[in-house]
Short mmCIF file of all heavy atoms in Angstrom, two decimals:
data_model
loop_
_atom_site.label_atom_id
_atom_site.label_comp_id
_atom_site.label_asym_id
_atom_site.label_seq_id
_atom_site.Cartn_x
_atom_site.Cartn_y
_atom_site.Cartn_z
N TYR U 199 -2.95 -5.06 60.80
CA TYR U 199 -1.57 -4.82 61.22
C TYR U 199 -0.60 -5.44 60.20
O TYR U 199 0.35 -4.78 59.77
CB TYR U 199 -1.33 -5.42 62.62
CG TYR U 199 0.13 -5.48 62.97
CD1 TYR U 199 0.78 -4.36 63.48
CD2 TYR U 199 0.86 -6.65 62.79
CE1 TYR U 199 2.13 -4.41 63.79
CE2 TYR U 199 2.21 -6.69 63.09
CZ TYR U 199 2.84 -5.58 63.59
OH TYR U 199 4.18 -5.62 63.88
N ASN U 200 -0.83 -6.70 59.85
CA ASN U 200 0.08 -7.37 58.90
C ASN U 200 0.11 -6.66 57.55
O ASN U 200 1.18 -6.53 56.94
CB ASN U 200 -0.30 -8.84 58.74
CG ASN U 200 0.14 -9.68 59.93
OD1 ASN U 200 1.00 -9.28 60.71
ND2 ASN U 200 -0.45 -10.85 60.07
N LYS U 201 -1.03 -6.19 57.09
CA LYS U 201 -1.08 -5.44 55.83
C LYS U 201 -0.29 -4.13 55.96
O LYS U 201 0.43 -3.74 55.04
CB LYS U 201 -2.52 -5.14 55.42
CG LYS U 201 -3.27 -6.36 54.94
CD LYS U 201 -4.73 -6.04 54.66
CE LYS U 201 -5.50 -7.30 54.31
NZ LYS U 201 -6.94 -7.03 54.17
N ALA U 202 -0.42 -3.46 57.10
CA ALA U 202 0.32 -2.21 57.33
C ALA U 202 1.82 -2.46 57.39
O ALA U 202 2.61 -1.66 56.86
CB ALA U 202 -0.16 -1.53 58.61
N VAL U 203 2.24 -3.56 58.01
CA VAL U 203 3.66 -3.91 58.07
C VAL U 203 4.20 -4.13 56.66
O VAL U 203 5.26 -3.60 56.30
CB VAL U 203 3.90 -5.16 58.95
CG1 VAL U 203 5.31 -5.71 58.79
CG2 VAL U 203 3.63 -4.83 60.41
N THR U 204 3.47 -4.89 55.85
CA THR U 204 3.89 -5.15 54.47
C THR U 204 4.01 -3.84 53.69
O THR U 204 5.01 -3.60 53.00
CB THR U 204 2.89 -6.09 53.76
OG1 THR U 204 2.89 -7.34 54.46
CG2 THR U 204 3.27 -6.32 52.32
N ALA U 205 3.01 -2.99 53.82
CA ALA U 205 3.02 -1.71 53.10
C ALA U 205 4.18 -0.82 53.58
O ALA U 205 4.85 -0.19 52.76
CB ALA U 205 1.70 -0.99 53.29
N ALA U 206 4.42 -0.79 54.88
CA ALA U 206 5.50 0.04 55.42
C ALA U 206 6.86 -0.46 54.95
O ALA U 206 7.75 0.34 54.62
CB ALA U 206 5.44 0.05 56.95
N GLN U 207 7.04 -1.77 54.91
CA GLN U 207 8.32 -2.32 54.45
C GLN U 207 8.56 -1.98 52.98
O GLN U 207 9.65 -1.57 52.60
CB GLN U 207 8.35 -3.84 54.67
CG GLN U 207 8.44 -4.22 56.12
CD GLN U 207 8.26 -5.71 56.37
OE1 GLN U 207 7.92 -6.48 55.47
NE2 GLN U 207 8.48 -6.11 57.61
N LYS U 208 7.51 -2.12 52.17
CA LYS U 208 7.63 -1.78 50.74
C LYS U 208 7.95 -0.30 50.57
O LYS U 208 8.79 0.07 49.76
CB LYS U 208 6.35 -2.14 49.99
CG LYS U 208 6.17 -3.62 49.78
CD LYS U 208 4.87 -3.92 49.04
CE LYS U 208 4.69 -5.41 48.89
NZ LYS U 208 3.41 -5.75 48.26
N GLN U 209 7.26 0.55 51.34
CA GLN U 209 7.49 1.99 51.24
C GLN U 209 8.91 2.34 51.67
O GLN U 209 9.58 3.16 51.04
CB GLN U 209 6.49 2.77 52.08
CG GLN U 209 6.59 4.27 51.91
CD GLN U 209 6.32 4.70 50.47
OE1 GLN U 209 5.29 4.35 49.92
NE2 GLN U 209 7.22 5.44 49.87
N PHE U 210 9.38 1.72 52.74
CA PHE U 210 10.75 1.96 53.20
C PHE U 210 11.76 1.61 52.11
O PHE U 210 12.68 2.40 51.83
CB PHE U 210 11.05 1.14 54.46
CG PHE U 210 12.50 1.13 54.82
CD1 PHE U 210 13.10 2.26 55.39
CD2 PHE U 210 13.30 0.03 54.56
CE1 PHE U 210 14.45 2.27 55.70
CE2 PHE U 210 14.65 0.03 54.86
CZ PHE U 210 15.22 1.15 55.43
N LEU U 211 11.60 0.46 51.49
CA LEU U 211 12.55 0.04 50.46
C LEU U 211 12.48 0.96 49.24
O LEU U 211 13.52 1.29 48.65
CB LEU U 211 12.30 -1.42 50.07
CG LEU U 211 12.62 -2.43 51.18
CD1 LEU U 211 12.13 -3.82 50.79
CD2 LEU U 211 14.10 -2.43 51.52
N THR U 212 11.28 1.40 48.89
CA THR U 212 11.14 2.36 47.78
C THR U 212 11.84 3.67 48.12
O THR U 212 12.61 4.21 47.31
CB THR U 212 9.64 2.62 47.48
OG1 THR U 212 9.05 1.39 47.06
CG2 THR U 212 9.47 3.66 46.39
N ASP U 213 11.60 4.18 49.33
CA ASP U 213 12.25 5.43 49.76
C ASP U 213 13.76 5.27 49.85
O ASP U 213 14.51 6.18 49.48
CB ASP U 213 11.70 5.88 51.11
CG ASP U 213 10.27 6.40 51.03
OD1 ASP U 213 9.77 6.63 49.90
OD2 ASP U 213 9.65 6.56 52.10
#
Side-chain angles (χ1 to χ4, degrees):
Y199 168 83
N200 284 341
K201 288 175 186 174
V203 168
T204 298
Q207 290 172 352
K208 286 179 183 177
Q209 186 61 54
F210 168 75
L211 293 171
T212 298
D213 289 348

